[in-house]
Amino acid sequence: MTVSLHHIVVDTTDLPGLARFWAAVLDWRILSEREREVVIGPAPDAAVGICFMPAAQGKAGKNRLHLDLNPGPGEREAEIARILALGARRVDIGQTGTESWTVLADPEGNEFCVLREKRTLIS
């Protein structure tokens, strides 16, 4: 028996608004939009998507799970500027200033990181 990840679920007080923000950030599409659920993904047959579900109240406290975004080569600062223009904001969760990532929050305050360019070790 095996199991695979299907959706990451995010509770939100603004289903369409937060779904559209993340679809724009990730360059994904709205795949399904219902009264109590909006699903985004890169394609209808993608292995994993993000599902937005209604929450009765806003976020309280620091996330216990967050997304790390990996920009393309040489695009980190431009991607941070683009994401900020979409409605994200910079947040301080105790960074020292020497990190290789930048912490942002989506319009509902969910923290996520934009990483430095990913480098792989290939022999």
Short mmCIF file of all heavy atoms in Angstrom, two decimals, residues 1-74:
data_model
loop_
_atom_site.label_atom_id
_atom_site.label_comp_id
_atom_site.label_asym_id
_atom_site.label_seq_id
_atom_site.Cartn_x
_atom_site.Cartn_y
_atom_site.Cartn_z
N MET A 1 0.85 -1.17 0.00
CA MET A 1 0.00 0.00 0.00
C MET A 1 0.90 1.24 0.00
O MET A 1 1.86 1.31 0.73
CB MET A 1 -0.89 -0.02 1.24
CG MET A 1 -1.90 1.08 1.27
SD MET A 1 -3.00 0.98 2.70
CE MET A 1 -4.17 -0.20 2.10
N THR A 2 0.55 2.22 -0.82
CA THR A 2 1.30 3.48 -0.86
C THR A 2 0.35 4.64 -0.76
O THR A 2 -0.84 4.54 -1.03
CB THR A 2 2.10 3.61 -2.18
OG1 THR A 2 1.18 3.61 -3.27
CG2 THR A 2 3.10 2.49 -2.33
N VAL A 3 0.90 5.75 -0.38
CA VAL A 3 0.13 6.97 -0.27
C VAL A 3 0.94 8.09 -0.93
O VAL A 3 2.17 8.03 -0.95
CB VAL A 3 -0.18 7.31 1.22
CG1 VAL A 3 1.07 7.66 1.98
CG2 VAL A 3 -1.21 8.41 1.34
N SER A 4 0.26 9.06 -1.51
CA SER A 4 0.95 10.19 -2.12
C SER A 4 0.24 11.48 -1.73
O SER A 4 -0.94 11.47 -1.39
CB SER A 4 1.00 10.04 -3.65
OG SER A 4 -0.30 10.00 -4.18
N LEU A 5 0.97 12.56 -1.77
CA LEU A 5 0.41 13.86 -1.45
C LEU A 5 -0.48 14.32 -2.60
O LEU A 5 -0.08 14.28 -3.76
CB LEU A 5 1.55 14.87 -1.22
CG LEU A 5 1.16 16.28 -0.85
CD1 LEU A 5 0.40 16.30 0.48
CD2 LEU A 5 2.39 17.16 -0.77
N HIS A 6 -1.68 14.73 -2.28
CA HIS A 6 -2.63 15.19 -3.30
C HIS A 6 -2.77 16.72 -3.27
O HIS A 6 -2.62 17.38 -4.28
CB HIS A 6 -3.98 14.52 -3.10
CG HIS A 6 -5.02 14.93 -4.08
ND1 HIS A 6 -4.92 14.70 -5.43
CD2 HIS A 6 -6.19 15.60 -3.91
CE1 HIS A 6 -5.97 15.18 -6.06
NE2 HIS A 6 -6.76 15.74 -5.16
N HIS A 7 -3.12 17.26 -2.10
CA HIS A 7 -3.29 18.70 -1.93
C HIS A 7 -2.63 19.16 -0.65
O HIS A 7 -2.59 18.42 0.33
CB HIS A 7 -4.77 19.08 -1.79
CG HIS A 7 -5.55 19.06 -3.06
ND1 HIS A 7 -6.89 18.79 -3.08
CD2 HIS A 7 -5.20 19.29 -4.33
CE1 HIS A 7 -7.33 18.85 -4.34
NE2 HIS A 7 -6.32 19.15 -5.11
N ILE A 8 -2.17 20.37 -0.67
CA ILE A 8 -1.86 21.09 0.55
C ILE A 8 -3.09 21.96 0.78
O ILE A 8 -3.54 22.66 -0.13
CB ILE A 8 -0.59 21.95 0.38
CG1 ILE A 8 0.61 21.05 0.11
CG2 ILE A 8 -0.38 22.85 1.59
CD1 ILE A 8 1.83 21.77 -0.38
N VAL A 9 -3.66 21.90 1.97
CA VAL A 9 -4.90 22.62 2.26
C VAL A 9 -4.58 23.86 3.10
O VAL A 9 -3.87 23.77 4.10
CB VAL A 9 -5.92 21.72 2.98
CG1 VAL A 9 -7.19 22.50 3.31
CG2 VAL A 9 -6.23 20.50 2.12
N VAL A 10 -5.12 24.99 2.68
CA VAL A 10 -4.92 26.25 3.38
C VAL A 10 -6.30 26.78 3.79
O VAL A 10 -7.18 26.95 2.94
CB VAL A 10 -4.21 27.29 2.46
CG1 VAL A 10 -4.07 28.63 3.18
CG2 VAL A 10 -2.86 26.77 2.00
N ASP A 11 -6.47 27.03 5.08
CA ASP A 11 -7.70 27.65 5.57
C ASP A 11 -7.62 29.15 5.32
O ASP A 11 -6.56 29.76 5.50
CB ASP A 11 -7.88 27.39 7.05
CG ASP A 11 -8.15 25.92 7.36
OD1 ASP A 11 -8.55 25.18 6.45
OD2 ASP A 11 -7.97 25.52 8.52
N THR A 12 -8.74 29.74 4.91
CA THR A 12 -8.74 31.15 4.55
C THR A 12 -10.10 31.79 4.83
O THR A 12 -11.13 31.12 4.78
CB THR A 12 -8.37 31.33 3.06
OG1 THR A 12 -8.49 32.71 2.71
CG2 THR A 12 -9.26 30.52 2.15
N THR A 13 -10.08 33.08 5.08
CA THR A 13 -11.33 33.82 5.22
C THR A 13 -11.75 34.44 3.88
O THR A 13 -12.82 35.00 3.78
CB THR A 13 -11.21 34.93 6.29
OG1 THR A 13 -10.13 35.79 5.93
CG2 THR A 13 -10.96 34.32 7.67
N ASP A 14 -10.89 34.33 2.87
CA ASP A 14 -11.17 34.88 1.53
C ASP A 14 -10.80 33.83 0.48
O ASP A 14 -9.72 33.89 -0.11
CB ASP A 14 -10.39 36.17 1.32
CG ASP A 14 -10.63 36.80 -0.06
OD1 ASP A 14 -11.48 36.30 -0.83
OD2 ASP A 14 -9.94 37.79 -0.37
N LEU A 15 -11.67 32.85 0.27
CA LEU A 15 -11.39 31.76 -0.66
C LEU A 15 -10.90 32.23 -2.03
O LEU A 15 -9.79 31.90 -2.43
CB LEU A 15 -12.62 30.87 -0.85
CG LEU A 15 -12.92 29.85 0.22
CD1 LEU A 15 -14.29 29.23 -0.01
CD2 LEU A 15 -11.86 28.79 0.25
N PRO A 16 -11.70 33.00 -2.76
CA PRO A 16 -11.25 33.37 -4.11
C PRO A 16 -10.02 34.29 -4.09
O PRO A 16 -9.13 34.16 -4.93
CB PRO A 16 -12.45 34.06 -4.73
CG PRO A 16 -13.33 34.45 -3.61
CD PRO A 16 -13.05 33.50 -2.48
N GLY A 17 -9.96 35.20 -3.13
CA GLY A 17 -8.85 36.15 -3.09
C GLY A 17 -7.51 35.48 -2.83
O GLY A 17 -6.53 35.73 -3.54
N LEU A 18 -7.44 34.60 -1.82
CA LEU A 18 -6.17 33.95 -1.52
C LEU A 18 -5.80 32.93 -2.60
O LEU A 18 -4.63 32.80 -2.96
CB LEU A 18 -6.21 33.29 -0.14
CG LEU A 18 -4.84 33.02 0.47
CD1 LEU A 18 -4.05 34.31 0.65
CD2 LEU A 18 -4.97 32.29 1.79
N ALA A 19 -6.79 32.26 -3.15
CA ALA A 19 -6.51 31.32 -4.24
C ALA A 19 -5.93 32.05 -5.45
O ALA A 19 -4.96 31.59 -6.06
CB ALA A 19 -7.79 30.56 -4.63
N ARG A 20 -6.48 33.18 -5.79
CA ARG A 20 -5.97 33.95 -6.93
C ARG A 20 -4.56 34.50 -6.65
O ARG A 20 -3.72 34.53 -7.53
CB ARG A 20 -6.94 35.07 -7.30
CG ARG A 20 -8.14 34.55 -8.08
CD ARG A 20 -9.18 35.64 -8.36
NE ARG A 20 -10.29 35.19 -9.16
CZ ARG A 20 -11.15 34.22 -8.86
NH1 ARG A 20 -11.02 33.54 -7.75
NH2 ARG A 20 -12.15 33.91 -9.66
N PHE A 21 -4.32 34.92 -5.41
CA PHE A 21 -2.97 35.38 -5.05
C PHE A 21 -1.96 34.26 -5.29
O PHE A 21 -0.96 34.46 -5.99
CB PHE A 21 -2.92 35.82 -3.58
CG PHE A 21 -1.53 36.04 -3.08
CD1 PHE A 21 -0.87 37.24 -3.32
CD2 PHE A 21 -0.85 35.05 -2.37
CE1 PHE A 21 0.43 37.44 -2.87
CE2 PHE A 21 0.45 35.23 -1.91
CZ PHE A 21 1.09 36.44 -2.17
N TRP A 22 -2.21 33.08 -4.75
CA TRP A 22 -1.26 31.97 -4.89
C TRP A 22 -1.17 31.46 -6.32
O TRP A 22 -0.10 31.06 -6.78
CB TRP A 22 -1.58 30.86 -3.90
CG TRP A 22 -1.03 31.21 -2.55
CD1 TRP A 22 -1.73 31.65 -1.45
CD2 TRP A 22 0.34 31.21 -2.18
NE1 TRP A 22 -0.86 31.91 -0.43
CE2 TRP A 22 0.42 31.65 -0.84
CE3 TRP A 22 1.52 30.89 -2.84
CZ2 TRP A 22 1.63 31.76 -0.16
CZ3 TRP A 22 2.73 31.00 -2.16
CH2 TRP A 22 2.76 31.43 -0.84
N ALA A 23 -2.27 31.49 -7.05
CA ALA A 23 -2.21 31.10 -8.46
C ALA A 23 -1.29 32.05 -9.22
O ALA A 23 -0.48 31.62 -10.05
CB ALA A 23 -3.61 31.08 -9.07
N ALA A 24 -1.37 33.34 -8.93
CA ALA A 24 -0.50 34.32 -9.59
C ALA A 24 0.95 34.14 -9.16
O ALA A 24 1.86 34.19 -10.00
CB ALA A 24 -0.99 35.75 -9.29
N VAL A 25 1.19 33.94 -7.87
CA VAL A 25 2.56 33.75 -7.39
C VAL A 25 3.21 32.56 -8.07
O VAL A 25 4.35 32.63 -8.54
CB VAL A 25 2.58 33.55 -5.85
CG1 VAL A 25 3.94 33.03 -5.37
CG2 VAL A 25 2.23 34.86 -5.13
N LEU A 26 2.49 31.44 -8.15
CA LEU A 26 3.06 30.20 -8.67
C LEU A 26 2.89 30.04 -10.18
O LEU A 26 3.37 29.06 -10.75
CB LEU A 26 2.44 29.01 -7.95
CG LEU A 26 2.71 28.97 -6.44
CD1 LEU A 26 1.84 27.91 -5.77
CD2 LEU A 26 4.19 28.75 -6.16
N ASP A 27 2.18 30.97 -10.82
CA ASP A 27 1.84 30.86 -12.24
C ASP A 27 1.06 29.57 -12.49
O ASP A 27 1.31 28.83 -13.42
CB ASP A 27 3.08 30.94 -13.13
CG ASP A 27 2.72 31.18 -14.60
OD1 ASP A 27 1.63 31.72 -14.85
OD2 ASP A 27 3.52 30.79 -15.47
N TRP A 28 0.10 29.32 -11.58
CA TRP A 28 -0.80 28.18 -11.68
C TRP A 28 -2.17 28.68 -12.11
O TRP A 28 -2.39 29.87 -12.32
CB TRP A 28 -0.92 27.47 -10.34
CG TRP A 28 0.27 26.63 -9.97
CD1 TRP A 28 1.47 26.54 -10.62
CD2 TRP A 28 0.38 25.78 -8.84
NE1 TRP A 28 2.30 25.68 -9.96
CE2 TRP A 28 1.66 25.20 -8.86
CE3 TRP A 28 -0.48 25.44 -7.79
CZ2 TRP A 28 2.10 24.29 -7.89
CZ3 TRP A 28 -0.05 24.55 -6.82
CH2 TRP A 28 1.22 23.98 -6.88
N ARG A 29 -3.11 27.74 -12.23
CA ARG A 29 -4.47 28.06 -12.65
C ARG A 29 -5.47 27.67 -11.57
O ARG A 29 -5.20 26.79 -10.75
CB ARG A 29 -4.82 27.29 -13.92
CG ARG A 29 -3.85 27.50 -15.04
CD ARG A 29 -4.25 26.81 -16.30
NE ARG A 29 -4.57 25.39 -16.11
CZ ARG A 29 -4.70 24.51 -17.08
NH1 ARG A 29 -4.56 24.90 -18.33
NH2 ARG A 29 -4.98 23.26 -16.84
N ILE A 30 -6.62 28.30 -11.62
CA ILE A 30 -7.75 27.85 -10.80
C ILE A 30 -8.28 26.60 -11.48
O ILE A 30 -8.69 26.64 -12.65
CB ILE A 30 -8.86 28.92 -10.72
CG1 ILE A 30 -8.34 30.25 -10.19
CG2 ILE A 30 -10.05 28.40 -9.92
CD1 ILE A 30 -7.99 30.30 -8.74
N LEU A 31 -8.26 25.47 -10.79
CA LEU A 31 -8.70 24.20 -11.37
C LEU A 31 -10.14 23.88 -11.00
O LEU A 31 -10.84 23.21 -11.76
CB LEU A 31 -7.79 23.06 -10.90
CG LEU A 31 -6.32 23.20 -11.27
CD1 LEU A 31 -5.53 22.03 -10.70
CD2 LEU A 31 -6.14 23.30 -12.78
N SER A 32 -10.57 24.33 -9.84
CA SER A 32 -11.93 24.05 -9.37
C SER A 32 -12.33 25.16 -8.42
O SER A 32 -11.55 25.53 -7.53
CB SER A 32 -11.95 22.70 -8.63
OG SER A 32 -13.17 22.49 -7.99
N GLU A 33 -13.52 25.68 -8.61
CA GLU A 33 -14.00 26.75 -7.73
C GLU A 33 -15.43 26.45 -7.32
O GLU A 33 -16.33 26.44 -8.16
CB GLU A 33 -13.90 28.10 -8.45
CG GLU A 33 -14.10 29.27 -7.54
CD GLU A 33 -13.66 30.60 -8.16
OE1 GLU A 33 -13.20 30.61 -9.32
OE2 GLU A 33 -13.76 31.60 -7.46
N ARG A 34 -15.59 26.16 -6.05
CA ARG A 34 -16.90 25.87 -5.48
C ARG A 34 -17.14 26.83 -4.32
O ARG A 34 -16.24 27.55 -3.91
CB ARG A 34 -16.94 24.43 -4.98
CG ARG A 34 -16.74 23.43 -6.08
CD ARG A 34 -16.91 22.01 -5.56
NE ARG A 34 -16.65 21.08 -6.65
CZ ARG A 34 -15.78 20.11 -6.60
NH1 ARG A 34 -15.07 19.91 -5.51
NH2 ARG A 34 -15.61 19.31 -7.63
N GLU A 35 -18.33 26.78 -3.76
CA GLU A 35 -18.67 27.69 -2.67
C GLU A 35 -17.72 27.53 -1.48
O GLU A 35 -17.34 28.50 -0.85
CB GLU A 35 -20.11 27.45 -2.21
CG GLU A 35 -20.55 28.39 -1.11
CD GLU A 35 -21.97 28.12 -0.64
OE1 GLU A 35 -22.73 27.47 -1.37
OE2 GLU A 35 -22.30 28.56 0.46
N ARG A 36 -17.34 26.30 -1.15
CA ARG A 36 -16.52 26.06 0.03
C ARG A 36 -15.16 25.45 -0.29
O ARG A 36 -14.52 24.86 0.58
CB ARG A 36 -17.28 25.17 1.01
CG ARG A 36 -18.59 25.81 1.48
CD ARG A 36 -19.27 25.09 2.59
NE ARG A 36 -18.44 24.75 3.71
CZ ARG A 36 -18.09 25.57 4.71
NH1 ARG A 36 -18.50 26.82 4.69
NH2 ARG A 36 -17.34 25.15 5.70
N GLU A 37 -14.69 25.63 -1.52
CA GLU A 37 -13.40 25.05 -1.89
C GLU A 37 -12.92 25.64 -3.21
O GLU A 37 -13.67 25.70 -4.18
CB GLU A 37 -13.54 23.53 -2.03
CG GLU A 37 -12.31 22.84 -2.56
CD GLU A 37 -12.55 21.37 -2.85
OE1 GLU A 37 -12.44 20.58 -1.90
OE2 GLU A 37 -12.89 21.05 -4.00
N VAL A 38 -11.67 26.07 -3.23
CA VAL A 38 -11.04 26.49 -4.47
C VAL A 38 -9.72 25.73 -4.56
O VAL A 38 -8.94 25.71 -3.60
CB VAL A 38 -10.79 28.01 -4.52
CG1 VAL A 38 -10.10 28.40 -5.82
CG2 VAL A 38 -12.09 28.78 -4.37
N VAL A 39 -9.48 25.10 -5.71
CA VAL A 39 -8.26 24.32 -5.92
C VAL A 39 -7.46 24.96 -7.04
O VAL A 39 -8.01 25.31 -8.08
CB VAL A 39 -8.59 22.85 -6.28
CG1 VAL A 39 -7.31 22.09 -6.59
CG2 VAL A 39 -9.36 22.18 -5.15
N ILE A 40 -6.14 25.12 -6.79
CA ILE A 40 -5.24 25.62 -7.81
C ILE A 40 -4.16 24.58 -8.08
O ILE A 40 -3.87 23.75 -7.23
CB ILE A 40 -4.60 26.97 -7.43
CG1 ILE A 40 -3.63 26.83 -6.25
CG2 ILE A 40 -5.67 28.02 -7.16
CD1 ILE A 40 -2.78 28.05 -5.98
N GLY A 41 -3.60 24.64 -9.28
CA GLY A 41 -2.51 23.74 -9.63
C GLY A 41 -1.91 24.14 -10.96
O GLY A 41 -2.46 24.99 -11.67
N PRO A 42 -0.80 23.51 -11.32
CA PRO A 42 -0.17 23.84 -12.59
C PRO A 42 -0.95 23.32 -13.79
O PRO A 42 -0.87 23.88 -14.87
CB PRO A 42 1.21 23.20 -12.49
CG PRO A 42 1.06 22.13 -11.46
CD PRO A 42 -0.01 22.58 -10.53
N ALA A 43 -1.69 22.23 -13.59
CA ALA A 43 -2.49 21.62 -14.66
C ALA A 43 -3.52 20.68 -14.01
O ALA A 43 -3.30 20.20 -12.90
CB ALA A 43 -1.59 20.84 -15.60
N PRO A 44 -4.62 20.39 -14.70
CA PRO A 44 -5.63 19.50 -14.12
C PRO A 44 -5.10 18.12 -13.74
O PRO A 44 -5.60 17.50 -12.81
CB PRO A 44 -6.69 19.40 -15.23
CG PRO A 44 -6.53 20.64 -16.02
CD PRO A 44 -5.04 20.95 -15.99
N ASP A 45 -4.09 17.65 -14.44
CA ASP A 45 -3.57 16.31 -14.15
C ASP A 45 -2.30 16.34 -13.28
O ASP A 45 -1.62 15.33 -13.14
CB ASP A 45 -3.28 15.56 -15.45
CG ASP A 45 -2.27 16.29 -16.33
OD1 ASP A 45 -1.95 17.45 -16.05
OD2 ASP A 45 -1.82 15.68 -17.31
N ALA A 46 -2.01 17.49 -12.67
CA ALA A 46 -0.81 17.61 -11.82
C ALA A 46 -0.94 16.72 -10.59
O ALA A 46 -2.04 16.50 -10.07
CB ALA A 46 -0.61 19.06 -11.41
N ALA A 47 0.18 16.24 -10.12
CA ALA A 47 0.20 15.34 -8.96
C ALA A 47 -0.22 16.05 -7.68
O ALA A 47 -0.85 15.44 -6.81
CB ALA A 47 1.59 14.74 -8.80
N VAL A 48 0.12 17.33 -7.53
CA VAL A 48 -0.15 18.06 -6.28
C VAL A 48 -0.73 19.43 -6.60
O VAL A 48 -0.32 20.07 -7.56
CB VAL A 48 1.14 18.23 -5.45
CG1 VAL A 48 0.87 19.02 -4.18
CG2 VAL A 48 1.74 16.88 -5.10
N GLY A 49 -1.67 19.87 -5.77
CA GLY A 49 -2.23 21.20 -5.89
C GLY A 49 -2.41 21.81 -4.51
O GLY A 49 -2.05 21.20 -3.50
N ILE A 50 -2.96 23.00 -4.48
CA ILE A 50 -3.29 23.65 -3.21
C ILE A 50 -4.79 23.86 -3.18
O ILE A 50 -5.38 24.37 -4.13
CB ILE A 50 -2.55 25.00 -3.04
CG1 ILE A 50 -1.03 24.79 -3.09
CG2 ILE A 50 -2.95 25.66 -1.72
CD1 ILE A 50 -0.24 26.09 -3.02
N CYS A 51 -5.40 23.46 -2.07
CA CYS A 51 -6.84 23.56 -1.88
C CYS A 51 -7.11 24.60 -0.79
O CYS A 51 -6.53 24.53 0.29
CB CYS A 51 -7.40 22.20 -1.47
SG CYS A 51 -9.16 22.21 -1.13
N PHE A 52 -7.95 25.57 -1.09
CA PHE A 52 -8.30 26.62 -0.13
C PHE A 52 -9.69 26.32 0.41
O PHE A 52 -10.63 26.09 -0.36
CB PHE A 52 -8.24 27.99 -0.80
CG PHE A 52 -6.85 28.32 -1.27
CD1 PHE A 52 -6.42 27.93 -2.53
CD2 PHE A 52 -5.96 28.98 -0.43
CE1 PHE A 52 -5.13 28.21 -2.96
CE2 PHE A 52 -4.67 29.25 -0.85
CZ PHE A 52 -4.25 28.86 -2.11
N MET A 53 -9.80 26.30 1.74
CA MET A 53 -11.05 25.98 2.42
C MET A 53 -11.42 27.13 3.36
O MET A 53 -10.53 27.82 3.86
CB MET A 53 -10.89 24.70 3.24
CG MET A 53 -10.43 23.48 2.45
SD MET A 53 -11.69 22.75 1.43
CE MET A 53 -12.84 22.16 2.63
N PRO A 54 -12.71 27.32 3.63
CA PRO A 54 -13.11 28.45 4.47
C PRO A 54 -12.71 28.27 5.94
O PRO A 54 -12.73 27.17 6.47
CB PRO A 54 -14.63 28.47 4.33
CG PRO A 54 -15.00 27.09 3.92
CD PRO A 54 -13.84 26.54 3.15
N ALA A 55 -12.33 29.38 6.55
CA ALA A 55 -12.03 29.43 7.98
C ALA A 55 -12.94 30.45 8.63
O ALA A 55 -13.25 31.49 8.04
CB ALA A 55 -10.57 29.83 8.20
N ALA A 56 -13.38 30.16 9.84
CA ALA A 56 -14.28 31.07 10.55
C ALA A 56 -13.57 32.33 11.03
O ALA A 56 -14.20 33.37 11.18
CB ALA A 56 -14.91 30.33 11.73
N GLN A 57 -12.27 32.22 11.26
CA GLN A 57 -11.52 33.39 11.75
C GLN A 57 -10.16 33.46 11.08
O GLN A 57 -9.71 32.49 10.48
CB GLN A 57 -11.37 33.32 13.26
CG GLN A 57 -10.67 32.07 13.74
CD GLN A 57 -10.77 31.90 15.25
OE1 GLN A 57 -11.70 32.40 15.86
NE2 GLN A 57 -9.83 31.22 15.83
N GLY A 58 -9.52 34.60 11.20
CA GLY A 58 -8.22 34.81 10.59
C GLY A 58 -7.12 34.04 11.30
O GLY A 58 -7.31 33.46 12.37
N LYS A 59 -5.95 34.05 10.71
CA LYS A 59 -4.77 33.36 11.22
C LYS A 59 -4.32 33.99 12.53
O LYS A 59 -4.37 35.20 12.70
CB LYS A 59 -3.66 33.44 10.18
CG LYS A 59 -2.35 32.84 10.60
CD LYS A 59 -1.32 33.09 9.50
CE LYS A 59 0.06 32.74 9.93
NZ LYS A 59 0.66 33.59 10.92
N ALA A 60 -3.87 33.16 13.46
CA ALA A 60 -3.33 33.64 14.73
C ALA A 60 -2.02 32.92 14.99
O ALA A 60 -1.96 31.70 14.99
CB ALA A 60 -4.32 33.37 15.87
N GLY A 61 -0.93 33.67 15.17
CA GLY A 61 0.36 33.06 15.46
C GLY A 61 1.13 32.68 14.21
O GLY A 61 0.66 32.81 13.09
N LYS A 62 2.35 32.22 14.44
CA LYS A 62 3.25 31.82 13.36
C LYS A 62 2.80 30.48 12.77
O LYS A 62 2.33 29.60 13.48
CB LYS A 62 4.68 31.69 13.91
CG LYS A 62 5.72 31.34 12.88
CD LYS A 62 7.11 31.23 13.54
CE LYS A 62 8.15 30.76 12.56
NZ LYS A 62 7.96 29.40 12.09
N ASN A 63 2.97 30.34 11.46
CA ASN A 63 2.64 29.08 10.80
C ASN A 63 3.46 27.93 11.38
O ASN A 63 4.63 28.11 11.71
CB ASN A 63 2.99 29.12 9.30
CG ASN A 63 2.12 30.04 8.51
OD1 ASN A 63 1.30 30.77 9.04
ND2 ASN A 63 2.31 30.02 7.21
N ARG A 64 2.87 26.76 11.43
CA ARG A 64 3.61 25.56 11.81
C ARG A 64 4.10 24.84 10.57
O ARG A 64 4.89 23.92 10.65
CB ARG A 64 2.73 24.67 12.65
CG ARG A 64 2.41 25.36 13.98
CD ARG A 64 1.78 24.46 14.95
NE ARG A 64 2.73 23.40 15.31
CZ ARG A 64 2.51 22.57 16.30
NH1 ARG A 64 1.44 22.68 17.02
NH2 ARG A 64 3.38 21.62 16.55
N LEU A 65 3.61 25.24 9.42
CA LEU A 65 4.02 24.69 8.14
C LEU A 65 4.06 25.86 7.17
O LEU A 65 3.18 26.71 7.20
CB LEU A 65 2.99 23.66 7.66
CG LEU A 65 3.17 23.07 6.27
CD1 LEU A 65 4.32 22.07 6.28
CD2 LEU A 65 1.89 22.39 5.82
N HIS A 66 5.10 25.92 6.34
CA HIS A 66 5.15 27.00 5.36
C HIS A 66 5.74 26.49 4.06
O HIS A 66 6.35 25.42 4.02
CB HIS A 66 5.93 28.21 5.89
CG HIS A 66 7.41 27.99 5.99
ND1 HIS A 66 8.01 27.56 7.14
CD2 HIS A 66 8.40 28.13 5.08
CE1 HIS A 66 9.31 27.44 6.94
NE2 HIS A 66 9.58 27.79 5.69
N LEU A 67 5.55 27.26 3.01
CA LEU A 67 6.07 26.92 1.69
C LEU A 67 7.41 27.62 1.48
O LEU A 67 7.59 28.77 1.89
CB LEU A 67 5.08 27.34 0.60
CG LEU A 67 3.68 26.76 0.68
CD1 LEU A 67 2.83 27.30 -0.45
CD2 LEU A 67 3.71 25.24 0.66
N ASP A 68 8.33 26.93 0.83
CA ASP A 68 9.59 27.52 0.37
C ASP A 68 9.52 27.61 -1.14
O ASP A 68 9.28 26.60 -1.81
CB ASP A 68 10.78 26.64 0.76
CG ASP A 68 11.16 26.76 2.22
OD1 ASP A 68 10.71 27.70 2.89
OD2 ASP A 68 11.91 25.89 2.70
N LEU A 69 9.72 28.79 -1.68
CA LEU A 69 9.66 29.01 -3.12
C LEU A 69 11.08 29.14 -3.66
O LEU A 69 11.92 29.83 -3.09
CB LEU A 69 8.87 30.28 -3.44
CG LEU A 69 7.45 30.35 -2.86
CD1 LEU A 69 6.78 31.63 -3.29
CD2 LEU A 69 6.63 29.13 -3.24
N ASN A 70 11.33 28.48 -4.79
CA ASN A 70 12.64 28.45 -5.40
C ASN A 70 12.60 29.22 -6.72
O ASN A 70 12.06 28.72 -7.71
CB ASN A 70 13.05 26.99 -5.64
CG ASN A 70 14.46 26.87 -6.12
OD1 ASN A 70 15.32 27.65 -5.74
ND2 ASN A 70 14.70 25.90 -6.98
N PRO A 71 13.15 30.43 -6.76
CA PRO A 71 13.14 31.20 -8.01
C PRO A 71 14.16 30.66 -9.00
O PRO A 71 15.06 29.91 -8.64
CB PRO A 71 13.52 32.61 -7.56
CG PRO A 71 14.33 32.40 -6.33
CD PRO A 71 13.79 31.15 -5.67
N GLY A 72 13.99 31.05 -10.26
CA GLY A 72 14.94 30.66 -11.29
C GLY A 72 16.28 31.35 -11.10
O GLY A 72 16.40 32.30 -10.32
N PRO A 73 17.29 30.90 -11.83
CA PRO A 73 18.63 31.48 -11.71
C PRO A 73 18.63 32.99 -11.94
O PRO A 73 18.10 33.47 -12.93
CB PRO A 73 19.43 30.76 -12.80
CG PRO A 73 18.67 29.50 -13.07
CD PRO A 73 17.23 29.82 -12.81
N GLY A 74 19.18 33.71 -10.99
CA GLY A 74 19.31 35.16 -11.11
C GLY A 74 18.01 35.93 -10.99
O GLY A 74 17.97 37.13 -11.27
#
